Amino acid sequence: MVNWVLLQTISIFFEVLNWAIIIRVFLSWVRVDYRNPFVRFIYNFTEPVLAPFRNMLMRSSIGRNMMVDFSPIIALLVIQYIVRPIVIHLLLLI
């Protein structure tokens, strides 16, 4: 029972994180007031996830010359296809 609750909680967390990254992408396309509490929450919630991917892209020879930030796309793919399945399988082993 505890494993199921923990599994559902982590699944919901990853789902919220995915949607927050998508909302951040849409916010980057429009002019927003960064003093808005919702905008600040989205940026503060997603920045720890996106920053390592952005740094990795900036250190590569491809990412340095790009005008578009692909870190949200890479983060979504890594979360969806690598991190989430690993966490779920580890929880099922407990």
Side-chain angles (χ1 to χ4, degrees):
M1 182 68 174
V2 175
N3 287 346
W4 185 82
V5 172
L6 189 59
L7 187 64
Q8 289 299 320
T9 304
I10 290 176
S11 181
I12 290 170
F13 172 76
F14 281 125
E15 194 65 33
V16 169
L17 182 60
N18 284 341
W19 280 107
I21 291 172
I22 292 169
I23 290 169
R24 181 175 172 155
V25 169
F26 286 127
L27 288 175
S28 72
W29 295 344
V30 295
R31 184 176 300 234
V32 294
D33 181 15
Y34 292 102
R35 293 175 295 175
N36 182 325
F38 177 74
V39 174
R40 272 192 314 206
F41 170 75
I42 293 294
Y43 274 76
N44 290 337
F45 185 62
T46 58
E47 187 59 27
V49 175
L50 297 178
F53 294 107
R54 191 177 303 113
N55 291 337
M56 181 181 66
L57 283 172
M58 288 303 149
R59 280 185 269 162
S60 72
S61 60
I62 297 172
R64 233 174 299 147
N65 299 326
M66 301 196 109
M67 295 180 71
V68 177
D69 183 16
F70 286 103
S71 61
I73 295 170
I74 296 171
L76 285 172
L77 289 172
V78 167
I79 289 169
Q80 197 68 24
Y81 295 110
I82 297 174
V83 175
R84 195 176 200 173
I86 289 173
V87 170
I88 289 172
H89 286 298
L90 287 176
L91 283 175
L92 292 174
L93 291 175
I94 296 175

